[in-house]
Amino acid sequence: MPTIDGDRLLKDQRALADFGRWKTGVHRPTLSPQDMESRKWLASRMTEAGLDAEIDGIANVIGRSKVSGPHLLIGSHTDTQPYAGWLDGAMGVIYGLEIARAFGADGTCRQFGIDVASWADEEGHFGNLLGSRSFCDSLPQTEVDACRHRDEGTPLRTALAAVGLADKPRSKLEPGHYVGYLEAHIEQGPKLEASGLRIGIVTGIVGHCNFNIMFEGEQNHAGTTPMALRKDAGVALIKLAAAILKRFPEVAGPESVWTIGKITLDPGFKSIIPGRADMLFQFRDVDANVLKGMRRALDELVQEANAGPCKATLVLGPQTAPATMAPRFQDALERAAERHAPGKHIRMPSGAGHDAQILAARLPSAMMFVPSIGGISHHHSENTKDEDLVLGCQVLATAAELILRGA
Amino acid sequence: MPTIDGDRLLKDQRALADFGRWKTGVHRPTLSPQDMESRKWLASRMTEAGLDAEIDGIANVIGRSKVSGPHLLIGSHTDTQPYAGWLDGAMGVIYGLEIARAFGADGTCRQFGIDVASWADEEGHFGNLLGSRSFCDSLPQTEVDACRHRDEGTPLRTALAAVGLADKPRSKLEPGHYVGYLEAHIEQGPKLEASGLRIGIVTGIVGHCNFNIMFEGEQNHAGTTPMALRKDAGVALIKLAAAILKRFPEVAGPESVWTIGKITLDPGFKSIIPGRADMLFQFRDVDANVLKGMRRALDELVQEANAGPCKATLVLGPQTAPATMAPRFQDALERAAERHAPGKHIRMPSGAGHDAQILAARLPSAMMFVPSIGGISHHHSENTKDEDLVLGCQVLATAAELILRGA
């Protein structure tokens, strides 16, 4: 059995958190100086671990095992949300590195190849899961050309050129090369901690649909325009929002979530009737049929809203399909979890998106969660107990062996 | 009968609109260079009309008739909302100027004094109806010291000093000096035009109450936080907003208006459950009891909202009491309107606030409206037909004579 070195693991986790350290967390946006420094550091650690390491043309860091036996790919991402936590995806990348080292050091596992990846821009600074999509051949050149930084507007091409990656090719998945893909991540939610559990075995990754719903009415003076003559875009928005909150529990599945993240009334002054209003609405579920049902309900509600004095328009934004995790890999994770933390594991969906949902379209894939203290994520106070970090890595290593042995 | 000179009136209206001209409208915020230039121009026109003109320590322009007979005060304001219309209050000030000239030129009216005022900052760039409140002794020195520009934060004191008014005294209403106060204004709403009418006789000015309603919940990941565990401040806001829209028609009067002017969800991203939410809510009515009923309903709804998972806090913002217009002055306006535009006038409340609501606490006061084309106001396309502008001024002049004669 490959045995991980907990001290070495934690030391590397902490070393990685030095790049872009901010308060108790990390600020490491994609292609920032600190992001590129961390990628070079990671590549050097991969090389020390005996892997062939490269940073490819989209900034993926990939370390390839030189052995000829069956290969398993383990990865996640090391970029972060702005001023966010030190673990998030970075944990899953260092897990891969440590498991590669543990396999290399174990006489019975040496014939198995553990390849390790840090996918670029999982956090969406320039686009949507760019690194893993590039690797899986689902990122067309035209999309790369069109991507811009979400805040600053810098073209992705310019940013890649600035860090010396303009002429590097993008690495692609070779069909048949891998047995599958594993990814570990912090849970980013409260379920494991609240239930006193230590390992989450992901059954599927939710698909999600984003919408911008726009309302057009008539801007007017809030004192002199009688109620009966108003075309108040804000009122139209509130009525639709309330109708969504009432209807969605009836059409949603038990694990569905839906969120109104932003509302804007225009012009947004106390004495002016809003002439325009916008809201961002999102829903998620692991079941494609449930997603369809929610979409149908939303369409109906928007249509009903259009019977009022304002025009409502539904614009579909980014969406992802749900991804099922390979049942055989889930079983391996469960057996490994039962070995190292008996009774302290559970199967659960992932409410957040991950690179594994991209890999799952090409390879049998699975994911594993460790508990998030207080359920906190995307904040500098995000954390996981040291013993949970070490346990998680050992469970993943053991599962990797079971998978590679076909056991 | 004092006869106004329509050409002279329109020429002065257009001359005033040259100060801060912007597209088809005017940008003349309080104490801006163009505002001060317009005040100096106005004072010089008052002097030419035979009045004693001064710009006082709060930037009110006051022109005093030198005759010894009974005096009537006519005024409004010449400051504007940002990039707004050319008439608004400016019309009422030029009406006063023209009526003072018409009285001076009429042998039978020469013994009556028409004083003219342009009240400073009616539009609230630095405070709330500062000029008329200063004149009516309801603006304490401490409030003047505390006022700052609503956007730029410049202290009012600094702005007054910059235009040379630091050491000027503030003019105050002398008890017993005036028979009353008259103010003309554009309607700022669609009622007159929609009914084919030309003169509105204001019965009262609505009081209004402004509120900021704040919701505190718990910011969290929109994918990983189950619906049942959420404290979504945005959901709490939407539920209260919908409850207000449902309840207010039941407690409001026939002329009441209520408006949600702004909604903010914090942090306002598609994948984050809002941890905070805010909304600006306002209601208006001419009847103090109706205002009380709406306030009671709002208090109840906020209390009910607090039974949910988020904390709702109601913060009272600026408010004004409703003001009744002097019945005798309303009668004079109606007789004058019937003389010059038979059957084309109506009594109506003012949904917007005006300086007359301040003056009404100290003097018998009345207001008159002329039609707004398309009901538009606070926009550069605001306008009124030339013949309505001329008619309105003549109606006000005739009403002034009736009032001064005690007829």
Side-chain angles (χ1 to χ4, degrees):
Chain A
M1 187 186 82
T3 306
I4 66 114
D5 179 336
D7 290 340
R8 185 172 58 185
L9 170 80
L10 294 173
K11 200 167 146 241
D12 274 343
Q13 291 287 9
R14 295 197 172 108
L16 178 51
D18 279 336
F19 298 94
R21 181 177 294 283
W22 186 77
K23 292 191 181 175
T24 58
V26 170
H27 178 62
R28 204 161 54 217
T30 305
L31 299 183
S32 62
Q34 60 271 31
D35 178 53
M36 286 310 296
E37 284 161 23
S38 76
R39 289 178 189 280
K40 287 172 191 158
W41 172 85
L42 176 63
S44 76
R45 295 299 279 152
M46 287 173 169
T47 305
E48 287 165 29
L51 304 175
D52 270 338
E54 65 150 351
I55 302 177
D56 85 346
I58 197 90
N60 284 334
V61 187
I62 304 177
R64 291 179 172 86
S65 164
K66 296 164 193 166
V67 307
S68 57
H71 282 230
L72 184 67
L73 183 59
I74 302 182
S76 191
H77 65 97
T78 50
D79 66 315
T80 73
Q81 286 289 339
Y83 309 101
W86 72 294
L87 293 168
D88 202 87
M91 186 196 77
V93 175
I94 300 297
Y95 273 21
L97 176 67
E98 179 56 26
I99 292 169
R101 291 187 294 223
F103 269 68
D106 186 288
T108 71
C109 289
R110 212 165 276 155
Q111 76 276 23
F112 297 125
I114 300 291
D115 288 12
V116 184
S118 168
W119 309 117
D121 203 31
E122 194 269 349
E123 297 291 6
H125 295 274
F126 287 91
N128 182 24
L129 299 165
L130 293 181
S132 50
R133 286 173 58 214
S134 172
F135 187 72
C136 291
D137 229 359
S138 68
L139 178 69
Q141 204 67 11
T142 49
E143 185 175 339
V144 175
D145 295 340
C147 280
R148 287 174 174 266
H149 191 279
R150 65 186 177 195
D151 302 320
E152 296 148 22
T154 315
L156 174 58
R157 287 274 179 222
T158 307
L160 286 168
V163 299
L165 297 178
D167 300 322
K168 279 233 171 174
R170 296 197 266 134
S171 283
K172 298 290 166 71
L173 175 64
E174 292 165 43
H177 186 65
Y178 292 111
V179 171
Y181 173 73
L182 288 183
E183 180 169 354
H185 203 279
I186 59 164
E187 181 196 351
Q188 304 182 270
K191 283 185 201 169
L192 290 176
E193 186 184 66
S195 322
L197 300 173
R198 300 183 68 191
I199 298 287
I201 297 141
V202 177
T203 53
I205 299 172
V206 297
H208 74 311
C209 297
N210 286 284
F211 301 90
N212 185 8
I213 313 178
M214 298 177 302
F215 302 83
E216 291 166 74
E218 218 169 81
Q219 182 177 323
N220 241 318
H221 192 295
T224 57
T225 315
M227 297 308 288
L229 298 183
R230 294 182 176 206
K231 295 180 181 177
D232 186 326
V235 166
L237 181 148
I238 290 160
K239 285 184 175 172
L240 179 62
I244 288 173
L245 297 183
K246 185 158 177 279
R247 180 99 175 98
F248 264 59
E250 297 161 9
V251 296
E255 304 269 12
S256 301
V257 290
W258 55 95
T259 308
I260 295 169
K262 186 175 185 175
I263 293 177
T264 311
L265 306 190
D266 183 80
F269 294 116
K270 63 181 162 62
S271 290
I272 303 184
I273 298 166
R276 262 192 68 100
D278 290 85
M279 77 184 205
L280 294 182
F281 179 59
Q282 178 192 86
F283 52 76
R284 309 187 184 212
D285 199 275
V286 283
D287 184 332
N289 285 324
V290 172
L291 289 172
K292 268 183 213 157
M294 292 197 279
R295 175 63 200 263
R296 207 159 37 234
L298 181 63
D299 284 337
E300 286 165 12
L301 292 172
V302 170
Q303 204 177 333
E304 285 165 27
N306 268 309
C310 298
K311 189 174 166 229
T313 310
L314 184 68
V315 179
L316 179 63
Q319 60 177 335
T320 57
T324 305
M325 299 291 95
R328 188 166 67 81
F329 287 16
Q330 291 184 50
D331 292 345
L333 281 164
E334 192 166 59
R335 284 161 59 202
E338 184 61 22
R339 188 180 309 171
H340 300 293
K344 296 289 186 190
H345 50 88
I346 190 172
R347 297 204 186 205
M348 62 191 290
S350 169
H354 294 288
D355 291 306
Q357 76 199 51
I358 304 300
L359 275 298
R362 299 284 307 274
L363 289 174
S365 298
M367 280 197 81
M368 191 200 81
F369 287 158
V370 297
S372 293
I373 295 172
I376 294 165
S377 81
H378 291 180
H379 187 271
H380 70 82
S381 65
E382 165 214 285
N383 209 357
T384 296
K385 286 182 195 162
D386 278 1
E387 58 263 37
D388 284 337
L389 290 174
V390 172
L391 171 72
C393 189
Q394 185 58 61
V395 169
L396 197 71
T398 300
E401 187 193 12
L402 292 171
I403 289 166
L404 280 160
R405 291 195 191 282
Chain B
M1 187 185 85
T3 307
I4 66 113
D5 179 335
D7 290 339
R8 183 172 60 184
L9 171 79
L10 294 173
K11 201 167 147 240
D12 275 345
Q13 290 288 8
R14 293 198 174 107
L16 178 51
D18 279 336
F19 297 94
R21 183 178 293 282
W22 187 78
K23 293 191 180 175
T24 59
V26 171
H27 178 61
R28 202 161 56 217
T30 305
L31 300 183
S32 63
Q34 60 271 33
D35 178 52
M36 285 311 295
E37 284 160 23
S38 75
R39 291 178 188 279
K40 284 172 192 157
W41 171 86
L42 177 64
S44 76
R45 295 301 278 151
M46 288 173 169
T47 305
E48 287 164 31
L51 305 175
D52 270 339
E54 66 149 350
I55 302 177
D56 85 344
I58 196 91
N60 284 334
V61 188
I62 303 178
R64 292 182 172 84
S65 163
K66 296 166 191 163
V67 307
S68 57
H71 282 230
L72 185 67
L73 182 60
I74 301 182
S76 191
H77 63 97
T78 51
D79 65 317
T80 74
Q81 284 292 336
Y83 309 101
W86 71 295
L87 293 170
D88 202 88
M91 186 196 78
V93 174
I94 300 297
Y95 272 21
L97 175 66
E98 178 56 26
I99 293 170
R101 290 187 294 223
F103 269 67
D106 186 290
T108 71
C109 287
R110 210 165 277 153
Q111 77 275 25
F112 298 124
I114 300 291
D115 289 11
V116 184
S118 169
W119 308 117
D121 203 32
E122 195 269 351
E123 296 292 8
H125 295 274
F126 286 92
N128 181 26
L129 300 166
L130 292 183
S132 49
R133 287 172 58 215
S134 172
F135 186 73
C136 292
D137 229 359
S138 68
L139 178 68
Q141 204 66 11
T142 49
E143 186 175 339
V144 176
D145 295 339
C147 279
R148 288 172 173 267
H149 191 279
R150 64 187 177 195
D151 304 319
E152 297 148 22
T154 316
L156 174 58
R157 288 274 179 222
T158 307
L160 286 168
V163 298
L165 296 178
D167 299 323
K168 280 232 173 178
R170 295 197 267 134
S171 282
K172 298 290 165 72
L173 174 65
E174 292 165 43
H177 186 65
Y178 291 112
V179 170
Y181 173 73
L182 287 183
E183 181 168 354
H185 204 279
I186 60 164
E187 181 196 351
Q188 303 182 275
K191 284 185 200 167
L192 290 177
E193 187 183 67
S195 322
L197 300 172
R198 300 181 69 190
I199 297 288
I201 296 141
V202 177
T203 52
I205 300 172
V206 298
H208 74 310
C209 297
N210 287 284
F211 301 90
N212 184 8
I213 314 178
M214 299 177 303
F215 301 83
E216 291 166 75
E218 216 168 83
Q219 182 177 323
N220 240 319
H221 192 296
T224 56
T225 314
M227 296 309 287
L229 298 183
R230 294 181 177 208
K231 296 180 182 178
D232 187 325
V235 166
L237 181 148
I238 290 160
K239 286 184 175 173
L240 179 62
I244 287 172
L245 298 182
K246 186 158 178 280
R247 180 100 176 97
F248 263 59
E250 299 161 9
V251 297
E255 304 269 13
S256 301
V257 290
W258 54 96
T259 308
I260 294 168
K262 185 175 187 177
I263 294 177
T264 312
L265 306 188
D266 184 79
F269 295 116
K270 64 180 162 62
S271 292
I272 302 183
I273 299 166
R276 264 191 67 102
D278 290 85
M279 76 184 206
L280 295 182
F281 179 60
Q282 177 192 85
F283 53 76
R284 307 187 186 212
D285 201 89
V286 282
D287 184 332
N289 284 324
V290 172
L291 288 171
K292 268 184 213 157
M294 293 198 280
R295 174 63 200 263
R296 207 160 36 234
L298 181 63
D299 284 338
E300 285 165 14
L301 292 172
V302 171
Q303 203 177 335
E304 283 165 27
N306 268 308
C310 297
K311 190 176 166 227
T313 310
L314 183 69
V315 179
L316 179 63
Q319 60 176 336
T320 58
T324 304
M325 300 291 94
R328 186 165 69 82
F329 287 15
Q330 292 184 50
D331 292 346
L333 282 164
E334 193 166 57
R335 284 162 60 201
E338 183 61 23
R339 185 180 310 171
H340 300 294
K344 296 288 187 191
H345 49 88
I346 190 172
R347 298 205 185 203
M348 63 191 291
S350 168
H354 293 290
D355 290 305
Q357 77 200 50
I358 303 301
L359 273 298
R362 298 286 305 275
L363 289 174
S365 298
M367 279 197 82
M368 192 200 80
F369 287 158
V370 297
S372 294
I373 295 173
I376 294 165
S377 80
H378 291 179
H379 187 270
H380 68 83
S381 65
E382 166 215 284
N383 208 358
T384 296
K385 287 181 194 163
D386 279 1
E387 58 262 38
D388 283 338
L389 290 175
V390 172
L391 172 72
C393 189
Q394 184 58 61
V395 169
L396 199 69
T398 300
E401 186 192 14
L402 293 171
I403 288 166
L404 281 160
R405 292 195 191 280

